Amino acid sequence: MTGEKHDPNRPKFYGRRKGRALNRSMVAVVEDDLPRYAVDPAALPAEPTDMFDRPVRDLWLEIGFGSGEHLLGQAKANPDIGMIGCEPFINGVAKLVRDVTASGTDTIRILPDDARLLLDALPDACIGRAFVLFPDPWPKKRHNFRRFIGPENLPRLARVLRPGGTLRCATDHPDYLAWMLFYIRANPAFRWLAKGPSDWAVPPADHVRTRYETKALAGVPHYLDFLRV
């Protein structure tokens, strides 16, 4: 846990919210620029695409965006898509806000908090694609229940994804890979799209690689695409 006082009305959160102290410029980014992009799960518009300043044709969601490289890359490659990113680690949030502001991208909104708060607030079938890329593997067996992909959160993802939408997961941890495949394939709301090992042992054509993938991977990455049936 983070050591902060727990609100009984919120789900228990495991993981880091803060790292090294932000420097002065990044503090200013969080204080001055983040409110422009921030999402309030308690005050969502009835139609979530209305949170953007111009019309978008679909809504995509990334859970645990790290420093935001994939999220920003997808937004640049798909300028007609509204993107929402969830990340409780404020250092990563600050980096994304800085980079989004510098790029002038206007189709990104950010929840600097636990993604479950947003998943529980979104209306049914409003998301076209969801990404959960390289989440914390919580490798110790006694901590496996903390993994984001699992029996607690898959119903949440199934509810907000529209039929025909896709869930993309990625991990470089072999035990988490087996865990993901077991739980997602056991859920009747999802169908695995892989036709063979080559479909999940290499990044999909539209994937945006990040510095983590090129420098910090602990093992062989696998990319899993599932159809919301």
Side-chain angles (χ1 to χ4, degrees):
M1 290 293 292
T2 59
E4 65 206 31
K5 187 175 180 181
H6 178 63
D7 180 348
N9 296 316
R10 292 169 55 99
K12 242 182 204 183
F13 174 77
Y14 299 94
R16 292 193 303 165
R17 290 188 181 273
K18 296 180 180 179
R20 182 178 299 177
L22 298 176
N23 62 34
R24 188 175 301 174
S25 66
M26 292 302 251
V27 169
V29 164
V30 172
E31 292 180 350
D32 299 337
D33 296 332
L34 175 57
R36 188 186 322 167
Y37 309 104
V39 173
D40 180 359
L44 293 177
E47 174 50 64
T49 54
D50 289 345
M51 70 178 72
F52 301 94
D53 296 331
R54 60 181 175 86
V56 294
R57 68 173 178 84
D58 201 0
L59 190 61
W60 294 2
L61 172 68
E62 182 169 354
I63 295 171
F65 60 69
S67 296
E69 296 160 292
H70 175 270
L71 186 70
L72 181 54
Q74 289 287 0
K76 289 179 176 178
N78 301 279
D80 57 344
I81 302 294
M83 308 287 300
I84 306 178
C86 303
E87 176 59 64
F89 187 55
I90 195 62
N91 301 63
V93 170
K95 290 176 183 177
L96 175 61
V97 171
R98 177 198 62 192
D99 295 343
V100 170
T101 302
S103 73
T105 304
D106 62 354
T107 54
I108 288 179
R109 295 295 180 265
I110 300 169
L111 175 68
D113 207 335
D114 188 333
R116 293 172 295 179
L117 301 174
L118 181 64
L119 288 173
D120 290 345
L122 286 169
D124 293 355
C126 66
I127 300 293
R129 296 185 73 180
F131 304 90
V132 184
L133 306 177
F134 303 99
D136 193 326
W138 294 108
K140 294 182 181 179
K141 192 170 183 179
R142 68 178 184 272
H143 293 156
N144 284 176
F145 74 94
R146 299 178 182 180
R147 291 172 169 176
F148 189 84
I149 294 296
E152 178 187 349
N153 291 320
L154 284 171
R156 288 181 162 109
L157 288 165
R159 185 185 67 79
V160 301
L161 276 165
R162 67 173 58 94
T166 57
L167 168 64
R168 177 172 295 166
C169 300
T171 184
D172 58 328
H173 192 277
D175 182 60
Y176 203 176
L177 173 64
W179 173 286
M180 285 178 172
L181 286 171
F182 175 80
Y183 281 107
I184 304 178
R185 294 179 76 186
N187 189 310
F190 297 101
R191 177 166 60 84
W192 192 18
L193 294 175
K195 297 178 181 178
S198 62
D199 289 346
W200 49 296
V202 296
D206 62 347
H207 178 63
V208 178
R209 299 198 70 169
T210 67
R211 282 173 291 179
Y212 174 78
E213 290 178 76
T214 57
K215 295 183 178 180
L217 287 175
V220 178
H222 288 84
Y223 305 83
L224 311 174
D225 278 0
F226 298 88
L227 178 71
R228 174 64 170 94
V229 295

